[in-house]
Amino acid sequence: LSAFKPVKILKGRMSSLPRKVLVVLQFTVSVSLIVGTIVIYQQIQFAKNRPVGYSREGLIKVFMVTPDLFQRSKAIESELLQSGLAENFAISSGPATDVWSNNSGFSWEGMPEGMENNFSMNWVSATYGKTVGWQFTRGRDFDEKIASDSTAIVINSTAVKYMGLSDPVDHIIKWHDDRYHIVGVIEDMIMQSPYRPVMPTIFRLSDKNQYTTNIRLNPSLGPQEAIAGIGSIYHKYNPSVPFEFSFVDDDYNQKFASELRVGKLATIFSSLAILISLLGLFGLSSFIAEQRTKEIGIRKVVGASLLQLWSMLTKSFVWLVAISCLFAFPVAWYVLSTWLTRFEYRIEVSLWIFPLVIMGTLIVTLLTVSYQALRAAMLNPVESLKSQ
């Protein structure tokens, strides 16, 4: 804005092509980043809205970091439930938000010959399903009062499809020399990445190999009050180790941390890029308006309306933005489609994003250049046509 020489501009000796090229490049980057930000947000929301198969709210996990905790888990459970601090209590070999054990060597009737099977496994107490909020599609939960449940297992819906079972309840599964029978089928629990398919999973009733305490807080108490009370009970039975816990909801949200960081960075960079682009556009519109001052004055004298002059000064910028979009959309589509292939559970790049971004960019462009266009168009022709 400060470097141009009015004499050269008014004689038409100065080219605006480099400036137009820069504006196209800047808007190409800006539009690409805006599209990217929208797609990243959609992918995160798509995974967040995926049914998780259990209830995360009000559920905490405490690792059994010492043998004392494991040996006294029954006493801790009894005191937590009697005190009203916890609604439910269960122990398991791994947390609800991760898979700690994968096993093979299973067989069942109807299993294809030579099939290499692999299941994630979790050893749980009988109250585990009630504590985490299992959602049964068939059969029932574990019942300690039923003696045969010592060899019972609960499987998820993916395991039913994986095994090809039409009627899975009471079906016998062999694991090495042991025989187990299916008592129930639950909706898939998302224990690993929400962007990946759920593994076929077996939950086995056992009081061994259990390292995780799962506690459902009493909803009638405030979380801080409940946590403080639970901490004091744990300290009573295990005074040598600080009480450490985590909310399962927070653990699950951590699975989105990387994508959220990318989304925040994309938002920041797209905001900066569009700001720089608009500053460039504002400068270019000032340059063009100054360059065509005499032309505008002559057009006003011969009867051109304010709308006609505004249209004359803004249409070139609309074309610049349109050209930017033509460059940006193929680039954005290719980069985002490649990025989305990292996720097995993903969205497709929606076509409606592109016209939405075009409209938004054009509106912002017109608002930016209209100030200079209207200012130049409203200038007194007497001032515009004065001798240089």
Side-chain angles (χ1 to χ4, degrees):
L1 286 175
S2 61
F4 68 79
K5 295 180 180 180
V7 172
K8 288 186 177 181
I9 292 173
L10 296 175
K11 287 183 177 180
R13 295 178 184 173
M14 201 166 185
S15 172
S16 63
L17 180 61
R19 291 169 173 80
K20 291 179 179 179
V21 170
L22 285 174
V23 168
V24 170
L25 289 174
Q26 289 170 342
F27 268 92
T28 298
V29 173
S30 301
V31 170
S32 299
L33 285 169
I34 291 169
V35 173
T37 302
I38 294 172
V39 171
I40 291 168
Y41 175 79
Q42 285 184 315
Q43 173 64 12
I44 293 171
Q45 292 304 121
F46 180 69
K48 279 190 171 182
N49 294 333
R50 186 180 179 185
V52 296
Y54 65 101
S55 177
R56 306 189 308 270
E57 293 74 20
L59 184 64
I60 68 170
K61 123 192 135 188
V62 182
F63 289 131
M64 296 184 186
V65 291
T66 67
D68 289 341
L69 285 177
F70 179 76
Q71 294 168 5
R72 300 172 180 174
S73 61
K74 288 293 184 182
I76 294 172
E77 176 182 9
S78 177
E79 192 160 342
L80 285 175
L81 296 177
Q82 288 178 6
S83 65
L85 295 169
E87 188 175 51
N88 296 108
F89 178 99
I91 52 179
S92 58
S93 61
T97 54
D98 204 356
V99 171
W100 281 9
S101 177
N102 292 316
N103 293 275
S104 58
F106 295 90
S107 61
W108 58 90
E109 186 179 347
M111 174 182 170
E113 187 175 350
M115 177 182 181
E116 294 183 5
N117 56 77
N118 188 35
F119 291 82
S120 67
M121 289 195 68
N122 201 350
W123 287 260
V124 300
S125 62
T127 55
Y128 181 79
K130 188 177 180 181
T131 302
V132 301
W134 271 345
Q135 299 168 18
F136 278 88
T137 60
R138 303 181 196 181
R140 60 174 177 83
D141 203 346
F142 295 117
D143 190 342
E144 286 183 310
K145 297 178 182 178
I146 301 176
S148 61
D149 272 13
S150 60
T151 59
I153 57 173
V154 170
I155 63 175
N156 65 357
S157 297
T158 294
V160 174
K161 296 175 185 175
Y162 181 70
M163 299 166 69
L165 302 178
S166 58
D167 187 16
V169 176
D170 293 329
H171 205 89
I172 301 298
I173 296 180
K174 296 179 181 178
W175 187 33
H176 304 303
D177 296 328
D178 298 321
R179 292 167 59 89
Y180 299 92
H181 64 282
I182 301 170
V183 295
V185 179
I186 60 168
E187 293 284 357
D188 290 334
M189 288 177 62
I190 300 180
M191 303 174 71
Q192 294 178 294
S193 170
Y195 302 107
R196 292 173 53 190
V198 175
M199 285 188 66
T201 306
I202 294 174
F203 297 89
R204 176 188 168 189
L205 190 61
S206 174
D207 58 358
K208 298 178 181 179
N209 303 319
Q210 294 174 327
Y211 309 102
T212 308
T213 305
N214 307 275
I215 304 171
R216 174 74 61 184
L217 302 181
N218 188 338
S220 63
L221 298 177
Q224 290 184 338
E225 180 185 355
I227 293 296
I230 292 169
S232 64
I233 292 174
Y234 267 84
H235 184 71
K236 172 183 173 182
Y237 288 98
N238 194 38
S240 62
V241 179
F243 174 66
E244 294 183 354
F245 72 96
S246 65
F247 281 92
V248 172
D249 204 19
D250 292 337
D251 293 341
Y252 186 80
N253 288 332
Q254 282 299 312
K255 297 178 183 293
F256 301 95
S258 176
E259 287 70 34
L260 286 170
R261 278 195 299 272
V262 172
K264 287 179 181 179
L265 286 172
T267 301
I268 292 170
F269 279 117
S270 60
S271 300
L272 289 173
I274 196 70
L275 176 62
I276 293 169
S277 299
L278 293 177
L279 287 172
L281 204 61
F282 187 81
L284 184 58
S285 63
S286 301
F287 171 78
I288 297 296
E290 192 72 26
Q291 192 179 36
R292 303 179 72 173
T293 301
K294 281 191 174 183
E295 179 189 348
I296 293 169
I298 293 170
R299 288 179 181 274
K300 286 195 73 171
V301 169
V302 298
S305 67
L306 185 65
L307 181 61
Q308 288 173 326
L309 293 172
W310 173 82
S311 175
M312 178 191 73
L313 291 170
T314 56
K315 66 182 180 182
S316 61
F317 300 106
V318 171
W319 278 110
L320 289 178
V321 173
I323 292 169
S324 300
C325 291
L326 287 177
F327 286 124
F329 290 156
V331 173
W333 183 86
Y334 174 77
V335 172
L336 291 167
S337 297
T338 303
W339 178 75
L340 286 170
T341 57
R342 297 170 51 205
F343 312 105
E344 295 178 73
Y345 188 82
R346 61 180 180 266
I347 62 167
E348 297 294 332
V349 180
S350 303
L351 294 178
W352 62 263
I353 294 175
F354 300 110
L356 179 68
V357 173
I358 288 176
M359 284 198 316
T361 307
L362 288 177
I363 290 171
V364 173
T365 299
L366 289 174
L367 289 174
T368 302
V369 301
S370 289
Y371 170 75
Q372 290 292 354
L374 291 172
R375 182 170 173 271
M378 295 173 70
L379 192 64
N380 190 331
V382 175
E383 297 293 328
S384 303
L385 298 173
K386 276 186 178 180
S387 172
Q388 64 188 36

